[in-house]
Amino acid sequence: MPKTTFKERVLNIVKNIKKGQILTYKEVARLAGSEKAWRAVGNILNKNQNKKIPCHRVIRSDGKIGGYNKGAKIKKELLLKEGALIKNGKMVLL
DNA sequence: CATTTGACGCCAA
DNA sequence: TTTGGCGCCAAAT
């Protein structure tokens, strides 16, 4: 059985995000087991950004897009295209 | 092993 | 309301 490190847990959670679902770094960190590890979460995604991981579905708590290796703008467009909507700085599903 | 980095979050002014 | 600064964790160097 795997040791499931924090990094692996985070990647697994992000990978498990459904279409149209958006989570904040803080939420992901909390699901991963460390509510205050949001910083590490962003770093982990940044260094892993694997194709299987829809890291573009993870945004900041402020409702801002945050960053993306391919470009934050593209990230936002991807989210809107998938059916996600950001309203009043919050994530809203269709 | 110690220090810096980083796709962040929240509080104070 | 907006801007600045501090705090936090894990990984990289």
Side-chain angles (χ1 to χ4, degrees):
Chain A
M1 51 168 302
K3 298 175 178 94
T4 61
T5 57
F6 187 80
K7 172 165 99 174
E8 201 153 284
R9 263 187 314 231
V10 171
L11 293 174
N12 183 44
I13 291 165
V14 176
K15 199 165 32 183
N16 195 38
I17 298 177
K18 304 179 220 85
K19 184 177 180 200
Q21 175 72 36
I22 301 177
L23 294 176
T24 62
Y25 292 101
K26 193 168 79 169
E27 289 294 305
V28 173
R30 179 190 266 191
L31 293 170
S34 299
E35 191 177 341
K36 295 181 210 159
W38 66 74
R39 270 282 197 178
V41 172
N43 243 356
I44 290 162
L45 293 177
N46 178 14
K47 286 171 185 176
N48 276 277
Q49 71 156 262
N50 292 349
K51 254 170 126 178
K52 315 286 195 240
I53 302 174
C55 39
H56 60 269
R57 290 189 184 145
V58 183
I59 63 172
R60 295 194 11 159
S61 301
D62 296 85
K64 290 176 180 24
I65 303 305
Y68 195 53
N69 265 350
K70 245 168 151 233
K73 307 189 313 184
I74 303 301
K75 183 172 171 183
K76 185 173 164 197
E77 290 295 300
L78 279 166
L79 293 172
L80 295 173
K81 221 165 174 184
E82 292 204 323
L85 185 66
I86 301 173
K87 183 176 182 140
N88 210 358
K90 299 211 139 173
M91 2 181 221
V92 184
L93 298 180
L94 284 197

